Amino acid sequence: MDVRSLHRQMTHYNRWKRQLDERLQRFEHWGKAHSLFGQSMDKTLHRARQLLRGESFTIACVGEFSRGKTELINALLYAGGGRRLLPSQPGRTTMCPTEIFWDASQPANCVRLLPIETRRSNTSLQSFKRIPQKWVTIQFDARDYEQTRAAINQVSASKQVSVADAIKLGFAEDELGERDAQGMVTLPAWRHALISLDHPLLRQGLRIVDTPGLNALGNEPELTLKTLPDAQAILFLLSADAGVTASDMEIWREHIQGLRDNNCTAVIALLNKIDSLWDDLTPADEVAASIDRLRQLTAHQLGLASQHVVAVSAKQGLLGKVGRNQAQLARSNFPQLESMLAEAVLRNQQQIIGHALIGDSYAMVINTRSGLAKRIAECEAELESLRAAAPEQANEKLQALRDTIRRTHHEYHKQALSLRTSQRLLESQQLSLLSPIGMPSLDRQIEEAHSNLAQSWTTLGLARAIASFFDAVDSNINHLEREIERCNRVLTSIYERPEHSLSGDDLMMRHLLKIQKQRRQLRQLQTRAEKFRKSLTTVLTHKSALISRFINTLVQEVRAVYMDLHQHINHWMQEALAPLFHQNQYQKQLLEHHMLRLTQMQSQRNSHAEQLQTLQTNLYQLQSALMSIEPLYREILAEPLEPELMDDLPASTDTTGARVLPFAKSKAVLQGNS
């Protein structure tokens, strides 16, 4: 099997996060043990560790019914045991969107199902996830195959309802399919499914979302407005024996193409079921050439690079894993898919490394160690100076040392006062930054959009309501960006002051206030809204339930972006000058400790030998602190990542575990990918 399989990379990814968290924890303990940390340093480390713990990796499987998504998930999650994890049988297909993950707060293994009747409400899926009593929970023992199959097969359950009831649930009449003899139509029994599985990969933060069919995507706005944009990788499933059908192309254009182009999402098109094209009467090279032509054609139809279209057989990949048949597994092309997903996990890891909090935490270790080494060198010089002095000149020499340290401490104190003034200057910009994205203003714009829509239930009315709403949102964000530009000029001027020895373009650029992510999210919401409007017919009254749910979900997502902006700006206010505060506080503490020791020596009127011994003891303490932090410092400067995970990195002799990418090298990697 490919050494860079998804299993291996997810194991590495989880181990890497734990190791990075452990390093930050070691640094935190070191600072407390030596009484060398201030409150701001503690806060930065705490938030960096929270960032690491909150990260997961989501793969969204998107495609029409009967494209083999369940078998694909079985092959991805296969961890031994000789059977499928999720039941997969002919004639059964996933009817509702399904999320598969590990939730430690739930029973060990369970399926939670949201009844289809909840679609009569405008309440969003995210809101329903916070109302556990609305869900039906089925627990199962994963060791009992029949029990597992019975529980998970519930996601395929359907029910018969009248056409009138189906319309009330938000289904369009032309989407309902055939009526039975009594005029009833078949609908999914459930609106959404959450499967919590105690599985090694899921425990490590992998999350899989199965979004079945065009109708499911069209009828659940939250899938396209939130779930898919939040995924780090999207697998678009096609059937090799059918090629790209009209409904496949509609899913691609309406729900995936924009994410590939604008969201930096890793998108892989899968031509599944290539085993249906295998023919024992045709030479293997001809079959391979035929499959490759189909792959090239698919890439052309979707406008994808050919390397992003993979012809696979999920079924043969699973069978190859179960039977440990390497030839069968290789022919299924499944290792190639796992390798591409592993690379997507690695890119996500690099994005975490590039986060300002991680960079600041690593910089704190490096600067703390460097500052401590500098202070030790100064103490050694002081000790040698006192040794060279005659005993009768010792007190005079001590006083000179105190005066020198006091002057240096005074400079750091002045710098601290200047930094506090600079912090207040930044905080004075808070109101002007938050004002353009104030919630009262957004509420008025939302109310106006609802009013505009209520006046005209036509596509023109919907278009005007959406356009007017996003014009107002754009105006707010443009105003915010002008305020951000002013604040960043202030920040730049602070970092460029000569007294800040840490100043530099890299450090300053990492701490500028940026909102590209939130701006991109709002543009994607606007694009989705426009596509939704174009997908509807002229008169919209009969689709009022769907439209109301879409508008409410759209509004909720815009509100969520605004709230994220508020939090992002508030965090920026706290962290923008953090490296300057960290360095200043640390140097002040070192000097204060030493000045206190010199003062005690003078007041106690010790002999020359005792004074030398006291300075030597102080030096030993600093050297001990340096020795304690040295291993962590060297680890941070060590070579990054295991060599088999990145082809362009040199081989390492250490194969015992994951390696953490150093701060300096992480910037180079990210700049290369930008």
Side-chain angles (χ1 to χ4, degrees), residues 341-354:
L341 288 173
E343 290 170 4
V345 175
L346 183 57
R347 284 197 298 273
N348 189 58
Q349 177 177 318
Q350 291 167 353
Q351 289 171 2
I352 296 173
I353 293 168

Side-chain angles (χ1 to χ4, degrees), residues 14 48 58 129 149 240 269 279 293 296 319 350-351 373 394 399 413-414 478 495 521 543 577 670:
N14 197 52
T58 300
K129 287 178 181 179
R149 185 175 66 173
D279 183 357
R293 284 194 298 272
Q296 297 291 342
L319 293 175
Q350 291 167 353
Q351 289 171 2
Q399 184 61 45
H413 181 67
K414 283 170 54 180
N478 288 335
Y495 269 84
Q521 289 172 330
K543 291 190 175 182
L577 301 180
L670 288 166

Side-chain angles (χ1 to χ4, degrees), residues 191-251:
R191 180 180 178 183
H192 203 79
L194 303 172
I195 302 177
S196 176
L197 277 174
D198 188 359
H199 180 279
L201 271 178
L202 303 179
R203 273 185 171 271
Q204 291 168 8
L206 181 65
R207 191 181 192 96
I208 297 178
V209 180
D210 182 358
T211 56
L214 180 60
N215 287 346
L217 289 168
N219 287 318
E220 280 296 356
E222 202 156 346
L223 293 177
T224 53
L225 294 177
K226 180 173 177 59
T227 304
L228 293 186
D230 283 352
Q232 283 80 26
I234 294 177
L235 301 181
F236 179 43
L237 272 83
L238 306 162
S239 181
D241 55 2
V244 182
T245 67
S247 59
D248 290 331
M249 186 58 76
E250 190 171 354
I251 289 176

Side-chain angles (χ1 to χ4, degrees), residues 58 60 99 124-127 129-130 207 209 211 217 220-232 234 255 259 263 265 517 521 524-525 528 550 553-554 556-558 560-561 564:
T58 300
E99 299 178 52
S124 68
L125 281 172
Q126 284 300 110
S127 298
K129 287 178 181 179
R130 295 189 290 269
R207 191 181 192 96
V209 180
T211 56
L217 289 168
E220 280 296 356
E222 202 156 346
L223 293 177
T224 53
L225 294 177
K226 180 173 177 59
T227 304
L228 293 186
D230 283 352
Q232 283 80 26
I234 294 177
H255 304 288
L259 294 175
N263 203 40
T265 306
K517 171 191 166 187
Q521 289 172 330
Q524 287 170 355
L525 290 171
R528 288 298 317 140
F550 180 87
T553 304
L554 180 72
Q556 178 178 313
E557 290 306 309
V558 172
V561 175
D564 182 47

Side-chain angles (χ1 to χ4, degrees), residues 95-114:
M95 295 289 288
C96 67
T98 303
E99 299 178 52
I100 307 169
F101 56 99
W102 164 246
D103 183 355
S105 67
Q106 293 296 321
N109 296 286
C110 69
V111 180
R112 298 173 61 213
L113 301 155
L114 185 65

Side-chain angles (χ1 to χ4, degrees), residues 81-324:
R83 66 187 186 196
R84 294 177 173 88
L85 185 64
L86 306 180
S88 177
Q89 320 165 225
R92 296 199 70 92
T93 186
T94 303
M95 295 289 288
C96 67
T98 303
E99 299 178 52
I100 307 169
F101 56 99
W102 164 246
D103 183 355
S105 67
Q106 293 296 321
N109 296 286
C110 69
V111 180
R112 298 173 61 213
L113 301 155
L114 185 65
I116 195 68
E117 287 75 15
T118 58
R119 287 182 58 164
R120 293 196 182 104
S121 164
N122 288 330
T123 305
S124 68
L125 281 172
Q126 284 300 110
S127 298
F128 273 121
K129 287 178 181 179
R130 295 189 290 269
I131 313 174
Q133 60 268 29
K134 296 291 185 181
W135 297 72
V136 175
T137 300
I138 304 172
Q139 299 182 28
F140 61 91
D141 183 351
R143 295 167 299 181
D144 186 327
Y145 182 69
E146 289 303 320
Q147 192 180 120
T148 301
R149 185 175 66 173
I152 295 179
N153 270 347
Q154 278 294 320
V155 301
S156 306
S158 60
K159 64 192 310 179
Q160 302 296 112
V161 302
S162 68
V163 173
D165 283 342
I167 292 174
K168 287 178 183 177
L169 291 171
F171 291 91
E173 189 170 356
D174 56 357
E175 298 171 346
L176 294 176
E178 296 181 0
R179 279 70 165 166
D180 65 12
Q182 287 74 40
M184 307 289 276
V185 293
T186 301
L187 295 182
W190 311 105
R191 180 180 178 183
H192 203 79
L194 303 172
I195 302 177
S196 176
L197 277 174
D198 188 359
H199 180 279
L201 271 178
L202 303 179
R203 273 185 171 271
Q204 291 168 8
L206 181 65
R207 191 181 192 96
I208 297 178
V209 180
D210 182 358
T211 56
L214 180 60
N215 287 346
L217 289 168
N219 287 318
E220 280 296 356
E222 202 156 346
L223 293 177
T224 53
L225 294 177
K226 180 173 177 59
T227 304
L228 293 186
D230 283 352
Q232 283 80 26
I234 294 177
L235 301 181
F236 179 43
L237 272 83
L238 306 162
S239 181
D241 55 2
V244 182
T245 67
S247 59
D248 290 331
M249 186 58 76
E250 190 171 354
I251 289 176
W252 172 258
R253 289 172 176 162
E254 294 294 321
H255 304 288
I256 303 177
Q257 189 175 21
L259 294 175
R260 193 262 335 243
D261 295 339
N262 305 317
N263 203 40
C264 302
T265 306
V267 175
I268 305 170
L270 296 183
L271 278 167
N272 195 20
K273 304 183 181 181
I274 58 168
D275 51 317
S276 66
L277 305 180
W278 295 351
D279 183 357
D280 292 340
L281 300 180
T282 304
D285 57 345
E286 290 186 23
V287 173
S290 176
I291 291 174
D292 189 60
R293 284 194 298 272
L294 179 59
R295 193 175 63 83
Q296 297 291 342
L297 174 62
T298 302
H300 176 73
Q301 289 174 303
L302 300 179
L304 277 174
S306 59
Q307 62 266 32
H308 294 149
V309 179
V310 183
V312 299
S313 170
K315 178 181 178 180
Q316 297 300 322
L318 175 62
L319 293 175
K321 288 184 176 184
V322 171
R324 300 181 180 274

